[in-house]
Amino acid sequence: MSPRRNRPKAAGLSGRGAEDDRSGRYGGWQSTESWQGEEWSVRHVAGASADGKTYRCPGCDQVIPSGLPHVVAWPEHAGVDDRRHWHKACWNARDRRTTRVRRSGNAPWF
């Protein structure tokens, strides 16, 4: 058995950097898709990464419960405030869904 290496590796030889970690942080993967004439960044989020958080899906206007795997999508030119959390099935059916979803008068807007 060889001895443990106690010296840090050289900076350029360590492998992946922060920019390359498109999947590990959120437990999914990120890609770019074209929709409505725009390029969208799409990140698939694992359920464990969404533990303790709830979101409202813009596709069906229903709550995405805590711990459920889902999709986060935003236009590439937009910022963090334009991210939306979708059910995977709603994101896949986004072209077949209407944008005129009506919510009841006392439903929360979150």
Side-chain angles (χ1 to χ4, degrees):
M1 180 146 83
S2 58
R4 182 190 306 186
R5 183 179 184 166
N6 289 326
R7 289 173 287 172
K9 292 182 180 180
L13 303 175
S14 64
R16 299 183 333 175
E19 260 69 36
D20 297 332
D21 189 38
R22 301 185 111 190
S23 62
R25 185 173 189 183
Y26 298 101
W29 65 94
Q30 185 170 331
S31 63
T32 303
E33 295 183 24
S34 184
W35 181 46
Q36 294 182 342
E38 288 186 272
E39 293 297 314
W40 287 68
S41 293
V42 180
R43 180 177 293 152
H44 296 263
V45 179
S49 299
D51 196 28
K53 304 170 194 165
T54 59
Y55 304 100
R56 185 166 296 274
C57 175
C60 65
D61 200 39
Q62 300 296 312
V63 171
I64 300 172
S66 172
L68 186 73
H70 62 279
V71 174
V72 180
W74 65 96
E76 285 213 341
H77 68 276
V80 176
D81 293 338
D82 292 324
R83 290 184 302 186
R84 297 294 175 257
H85 297 254
W86 296 68
H87 291 104
K88 287 184 179 182
C90 293
W91 176 254
N92 292 336
R94 64 193 177 274
D95 290 327
R96 297 187 304 269
R97 298 206 179 257
T98 178
T99 58
R100 300 181 190 271
V101 175
R102 304 209 91 176
R103 132 186 359 236
S104 67
N106 60 355
W109 285 89
F110 61 91

